[in-house]
Amino acid sequence: MAIQSILATHVKEAVKKIHDVEIDQVEFQPTRKDFEGDVTLVTFPMLRQVKTNPVKLGQEIGNYLQENVAEVSHFNVVQGFLNIVLSNSFFLNFFANMKSRKDFGIIPPAEDAKGIMVEYSSPNTNKPLHLGHIRNNLLGYSVSEILKAAGNKVYKTQIINDRGIHICKSMLAWERFGNGETPDSTGLKGDKLVGNYYVKFDQEYKKEIAELKEKGLSEEAAKAEAPILIEAKKMLLKWEAGDPKVVALWEKMNQWVYDGFEKTYNALGVDFDKNYYESNTYLLGKDVVNQGLEKGVFYKKDDGSVWIDLTDEGLDEKIVLRSDGTSVYMTQDIGTAIQRVKDFDINGMVYTVGNEQDYHFKVLFLILKKLGFDWADYLYHLSYGMVDLPSGKMKSREGTVVDADDLIVEMKETARTISEELGKLDGYSEEEKEELYRTIGLGALKYYILKVDPKKRILFDPKESVDFQGNTGPFIQYTYARIQSIIRKANFDHSKEVPTDYKLHEKEKELIKQLQLYPETVQLAAENHSPALIANYTYDLVKEFNSFYQNVTILGTDELEEKVFRVQLSQAVGNVIKSSFALLGIQVPERM
């Protein structure tokens, strides 16, 4: 709140004038609900510099503020806490300035602002997106929108893992067992079709292992000598050598997957400014390793492999180039990061990747720093926990994964069932109902996942997420729709200015105080890369609005001034709900 910086200046003046001491720090906190006040000054930290008792100091500062600061109405002191009551006009002035601003709390990026690149999704082209990808996509997209709202230029990207042995497994299985079927001939999305063959490969591989074990081979030997795996490895070598037939099959099947992914991204409401492909980036970084060898950042072992020693930093030794000269993931990530800075005017990157990769990113960021890149100080790993279901963990190879498309459909159907039970959709066309089920279902899914701190694991329960009560997306969407209903019913001119001597009801003031926190919350969420801060702020705002709605007559009051002000206040709350939910990638319905 800007008022705190005004108060801080006057508090310093007061202490200088009364005690002739210049204090370093002024600490404020919200006033506790059981005391009168809007903001509380904590006097205890000042006692290190001012030799007096806390109650006396609070009283002195309170008197000074009341006499010298127009925004301060009165005060009370409880032990060492100075509870400051701000004037009616302070809240009215704030509200008059913010009420019609659709961009309230949002800062446009400066012309010369450097960009931040946010990487998310980054799937493999051997299977469809699943529930884990959904958390990744929702986090990455939301953090991008929040960083943008905080005044940054943002570029959204993904690196698609489109090469390697796992891709060849799907290709080989399709070649052997596919009988030429395609997404068109089967009516399956391309990523689903290819994913089925990844599962098929695993089934055949297990059969071959069992047969070899029956012939007397050990488990380890059977795994290594299974003919289907040897064939997949040969296919990878052919791909790396540019064999036209293998490359053509690879291009065809990958395109099926890209087309499938695109449908999922559209359904989920996420997008990208640029895609990187591992098949284009996997050779990047080798030249950087050679430069790092010359600088002494890396060292070579007797077998010719190249390493970095990070034991002084509490980490380990890490390989960056194999003895045969081929790269590892770390090499590619070094090269790709450098390439991105060349491609875009950025000085920071956010990597949205699960917490099983925490160590990898610590090492990557440290290597880039040691190589002398200034922007390495502005790299951030948006690490997140896994998503579990009541039924347990998921495994792609065994085909027991919760498919993203299926979950999106299930969320819509859950919204349909609950909405029909509540029976609130009279007068809607079938088309309007379908759109509303989609909005509620997706809103429930996104909010349930984003309201949780990214670092925590989530146990996702679809039915619980679509509850119309409590800390859920549909509860907040319903409140927004209720506000729109109030505005539609306001059959009078509610655009006129409210008089400056309008006396605020306590519930109106509490709601304005909650609105004041929005710009600060956007900045905090950007600094912490945490959509959870936006989600939970919005829930608090909605709770405050519902308390106002239940305790204050909005359209039924006889006083026109009150009606006008309360409709304007409701509208401002609606605007902030819509704005904050847009940062989470959630739509709000005009009626429910």
Side-chain angles (χ1 to χ4, degrees), residues 412-475:
K412 184 180 171 184
E413 291 311 306
T414 306
R416 180 198 305 277
T417 306
I418 291 174
S419 299
E420 284 172 353
E421 282 169 10
L422 293 171
K424 295 188 179 215
L425 301 181
D426 297 342
Y428 280 63
S429 70
E430 281 310 308
E431 201 177 318
E432 286 171 327
K433 284 181 185 176
E434 289 304 313
E435 181 56 25
L436 186 61
Y437 301 146
R438 190 191 68 78
T439 302
I440 295 171
L442 266 180
L445 170 67
K446 292 180 178 186
Y447 187 83
Y448 197 94
I449 284 176
L450 292 174
K451 74 177 180 180
V452 179
D453 181 286
K455 291 180 177 60
K456 291 182 179 169
R457 273 185 104 111
I458 293 178
L459 183 68
F460 180 70
D461 181 341
K463 194 159 172 32
E464 187 184 302
S465 73
V466 187
D467 194 341
F468 280 77
Q469 295 299 320
N471 191 3
T472 67
F475 173 65

Side-chain angles (χ1 to χ4, degrees), residues 116 118 139 142-144 146-147 349-351 378-383 453-455 522-533:
I116 298 173
V118 182
L139 270 175
S142 180
V143 165
S144 302
I146 291 166
L147 288 169
M349 278 178 262
V350 176
Y351 293 84
Y378 304 100
L379 300 175
Y380 184 81
H381 175 205
L382 178 51
S383 169
D453 181 286
K455 291 180 177 60
V522 172
Q523 294 299 321
L524 263 177
E527 283 166 33
N528 291 282
H529 302 85
S530 177
L533 293 175

Side-chain angles (χ1 to χ4, degrees), residues 310-500:
L310 298 172
T311 48
D312 285 352
E313 279 83 3
L315 300 174
D316 223 325
E317 293 188 356
K318 184 77 182 174
I319 187 167
V320 290
L321 215 55
R322 294 190 189 96
S323 55
D324 61 3
T326 55
S327 61
V328 291
Y329 270 115
M330 188 61 74
T331 330
Q332 296 171 47
D333 281 352
I334 293 165
T336 306
I338 295 164
Q339 187 61 46
R340 285 170 172 173
V341 176
K342 287 177 188 167
D343 292 347
F344 290 86
D345 186 21
I346 55 173
N347 70 345
M349 278 178 262
V350 176
Y351 293 84
T352 313
V353 182
N355 56 14
E356 71 279 5
Q357 295 292 334
D358 283 355
Y359 185 80
H360 175 84
F361 283 101
K362 273 184 194 162
V363 173
L364 173 64
F365 298 168
L366 204 46
I367 289 174
L368 288 164
K369 263 188 207 178
K370 286 180 178 289
L371 288 168
F373 295 107
D374 304 346
W375 43 262
D377 287 329
Y378 304 100
L379 300 175
Y380 184 81
H381 175 205
L382 178 51
S383 169
Y384 62 90
M386 294 297 100
V387 185
D388 300 314
L389 286 151
S391 56
K393 283 186 89 170
M394 307 182 288
K395 290 181 184 154
S396 308
R397 280 193 305 276
E398 292 163 23
T400 60
V401 156
V402 177
D403 181 273
D405 298 311
D406 293 347
L407 183 60
I408 292 167
V409 170
E410 185 188 334
M411 293 306 297
K412 184 180 171 184
E413 291 311 306
T414 306
R416 180 198 305 277
T417 306
I418 291 174
S419 299
E420 284 172 353
E421 282 169 10
L422 293 171
K424 295 188 179 215
L425 301 181
D426 297 342
Y428 280 63
S429 70
E430 281 310 308
E431 201 177 318
E432 286 171 327
K433 284 181 185 176
E434 289 304 313
E435 181 56 25
L436 186 61
Y437 301 146
R438 190 191 68 78
T439 302
I440 295 171
L442 266 180
L445 170 67
K446 292 180 178 186
Y447 187 83
Y448 197 94
I449 284 176
L450 292 174
K451 74 177 180 180
V452 179
D453 181 286
K455 291 180 177 60
K456 291 182 179 169
R457 273 185 104 111
I458 293 178
L459 183 68
F460 180 70
D461 181 341
K463 194 159 172 32
E464 187 184 302
S465 73
V466 187
D467 194 341
F468 280 77
Q469 295 299 320
N471 191 3
T472 67
F475 173 65
I476 294 169
Q477 287 172 322
Y478 185 70
T479 302
Y480 176 84
R482 169 182 274 170
I483 290 168
Q484 301 320 300
S485 171
I486 291 167
I487 295 163
R488 283 193 296 273
K489 287 175 186 166
N491 57 356
F492 52 88
D493 179 9
H494 51 82
S495 63
K496 54 178 75 168
E497 288 304 312
V498 173
T500 51

Side-chain angles (χ1 to χ4, degrees), residues 88 502-511 548 551-553 562 565-566:
N88 202 62
Y502 178 81
K503 186 76 182 82
L504 284 168
H505 186 286
E506 192 54 38
K507 289 291 173 188
E508 292 168 339
K509 190 165 98 164
E510 287 304 317
L511 201 44
F548 159 76
N551 289 282
V552 175
T553 307
E562 286 182 351
F565 183 75
R566 287 167 187 176

Side-chain angles (χ1 to χ4, degrees), residues 122-140:
S122 302
N124 296 334
T125 57
N126 63 331
K127 55 194 173 194
L129 302 174
H130 57 63
L131 179 54
H133 289 117
I134 283 185
R135 187 175 198 189
N136 182 304
N137 275 274
L138 297 183
L139 270 175

Side-chain angles (χ1 to χ4, degrees), residues 14-27:
V15 176
K16 175 73 178 146
K17 192 166 183 184
I18 300 161
H19 291 278
D20 197 26
V21 172
E22 292 195 4
I23 53 170
D24 315 323
Q25 247 180 324
V26 179
E27 186 187 319

Side-chain angles (χ1 to χ4, degrees), residues 77-94:
V77 179
V78 179
Q79 295 171 334
F81 299 95
L82 167 60
N83 301 318
I84 301 163
V85 180
L86 298 169
S87 67
N88 202 62
S89 60
F90 165 71
F91 291 105
L92 284 175
N93 289 339
F94 163 80

Side-chain angles (χ1 to χ4, degrees), residues 148-167:
K148 211 185 290 179
N152 301 287
K153 277 184 190 161
V154 175
Y155 304 99
K156 304 172 192 163
T157 192
Q158 60 175 333
I159 182 157
I160 297 172
N161 190 344
D162 64 344
R163 62 172 283 279
I165 189 69
H166 49 295
I167 311 296

